Amino acid sequence: MVCLTLFKENYLLIKIIFIINYFTFIISYLYTALINPGIPKRQYYFKYLETKNLAKNDWQKCSKCNILIPTNFKVTHCNRCQICIREHDHHCPWTSKCIGKFNIKSFYIFVNSLMCYLIMIFITFYSHIFYHGYNRKK
């Protein structure tokens, strides 16, 4: 019953929390979906080669996309995207994109804000039902 009274008294605060969480969810989703997940660029590797003076045996070649990659980089080939991704975590079906080195943090923010949003909707829905059900009986 205390939770329901707090819900009724802090209605504006709950709306603000919903709005902030919703925009965090949307912005992190767009950032995850639109940013480069870690696709190797040839210009970067040529600069890396010039600065580090690596020998030919310090490079590995992807057998599927034929790109040269330094052996000290953790690069994995994604079979769905048909590209190599630095620090590949997984291929996300929600964003239809790989999750890698550059978008993993925004993906975690996206998933956590989605979970918080769903929990808030669940609490709001049930507190609304119980609050109105409690007031009807009186």
Side-chain angles (χ1 to χ4, degrees):
M1 184 52 82
V2 174
C3 180
L4 299 178
T5 347
L6 289 174
F7 177 75
K8 183 180 178 186
E9 292 173 0
N10 299 323
Y11 191 65
L12 180 63
L13 179 65
I14 291 171
K15 278 185 178 181
I16 291 170
I17 292 172
F18 262 106
I19 290 170
I20 290 171
N21 194 14
Y22 178 74
F23 281 114
T24 304
F25 166 69
I26 294 297
I27 290 169
S28 62
Y29 173 78
L30 290 174
Y31 190 77
T32 302
L34 297 177
I35 197 167
N36 177 6
I39 300 170
K41 295 183 180 178
R42 291 179 190 260
Q43 298 88 3
Y44 175 76
Y45 290 126
F46 286 132
K47 288 179 186 175
Y48 188 81
L49 178 63
E50 291 171 357
T51 58
K52 298 291 182 181
N53 295 327
L54 295 175
K56 292 207 178 220
N57 58 354
D58 292 335
W59 292 85
Q60 63 184 0
K61 185 176 183 180
C62 177
S63 61
K64 297 179 181 175
C65 60
N66 295 326
I67 188 170
L68 288 174
I69 302 161
T71 54
N72 58 350
F73 284 178
K74 183 182 172 191
V75 178
T76 309
H77 187 84
C78 177
N79 291 325
R80 289 190 183 175
C81 296
Q82 296 301 320
I83 52 174
C84 288
I85 305 290
R86 283 186 67 186
E87 297 180 22
H88 184 266
D89 188 58
H90 68 283
H91 184 88
C92 178
W94 296 345
T95 60
S96 184
K97 193 171 191 175
C98 286
I99 305 300
K101 179 178 174 103
F102 300 123
N103 64 353
I104 189 79
K105 291 178 185 174
S106 62
F107 177 74
Y108 286 146
I109 293 170
F110 161 65
V111 170
N112 288 325
S113 63
L114 173 64
M115 194 63 170
C116 290
Y117 194 69
L118 292 175
I119 289 170
M120 289 172 64
I121 287 174
F122 179 76
I123 290 171
T124 305
F125 177 71
Y126 279 107
S127 63
H128 183 72
I129 287 175
F130 289 127
Y131 179 75
H132 285 295
Y134 181 75
N135 282 343
R136 259 190 222 159
K137 291 179 184 179
K138 286 185 175 182

